[in-house]
Amino acid sequence: MFSTWQKEKATAALVDEAQAVADKLADAKPHQVESRAAAARFWAAFHLAEGRDLYAMSEWKSEAVAKFASTAQASITAMRKKRDYDSSDGLAVWLHTARALNESRVAPAVRDIWQHLMDAGPNADSMAEELILDAGLPMDKGRRVPDGL
């Protein structure tokens, strides 16, 4: 019984965390949303260059999604210590996406996050392309919502 309560509390925390990001994006200035959208796209290109298509994460085994989430969380923590907030916020989008794929109650908030990113202005695309080119990564297919959301 205690274990069930702990799991429920942990799931509620994940939902609240994703909803807080969605709410923050809803109230953000356009350039902040564009920056988050660009950084999320950069991380997708980064992982694609390493052979992991984040947009197809819904097709991964749940263990691989959980491993990605764990690794992403550690990377985000390290980036935030270095005050690299824009990049860490972009990777956090993918962390929430992974969580949504493994816990359906997180999905509505993550869909809201992605809707805000899709509604970002055109500067998001040029910023993403610049980040991708500066890192020497192959160009991606453009802004889109991950499969399964």
Side-chain angles (χ1 to χ4, degrees):
M1 183 160 143
F2 183 72
S3 176
T4 302
W5 175 80
Q6 278 183 312
K7 288 179 184 176
E8 180 58 34
K9 188 173 178 177
T11 300
L14 296 179
V15 171
D16 290 346
E17 190 178 333
Q19 189 61 55
V21 171
D23 293 344
K24 185 177 178 180
L25 286 170
D27 295 334
K29 295 182 184 210
H31 74 275
Q32 293 168 320
V33 179
E34 290 171 338
S35 177
R36 178 85 54 114
R41 208 171 131 193
F42 165 80
W43 282 109
F46 176 85
H47 283 279
L48 186 58
E50 293 186 347
R52 291 181 304 274
D53 185 356
L54 298 185
Y55 289 101
M57 195 183 304
S58 64
E59 299 169 12
W60 299 4
K61 293 182 180 181
S62 71
E63 296 83 19
V65 174
K67 182 177 179 181
F68 169 81
S70 176
T71 302
Q73 182 65 63
S75 296
I76 291 165
T77 300
M79 284 186 274
R80 289 189 175 158
K81 275 187 172 181
K82 294 179 183 177
R83 301 183 192 275
D84 189 358
Y85 299 116
D86 288 339
S87 190
S88 68
D89 286 348
L91 186 55
V93 169
W94 291 106
L95 170 63
H96 292 299
T97 301
R99 289 173 173 172
L101 293 172
N102 275 347
E103 175 50 64
S104 62
R105 288 183 285 171
V106 180
V110 173
R111 284 187 197 103
D112 287 346
I113 291 169
W114 279 102
Q115 187 60 56
H116 291 299
L117 299 183
M118 294 306 294
D119 291 342
N123 288 336
D125 297 321
S126 59
M127 290 167 62
E129 290 166 8
E130 186 176 318
L131 289 169
I132 291 167
L133 290 174
D134 286 351
L137 299 171
M139 194 49 63
D140 65 353
K141 295 179 184 175
R143 194 180 345 170
R144 61 193 193 278
V145 175
D147 300 340
L149 291 177

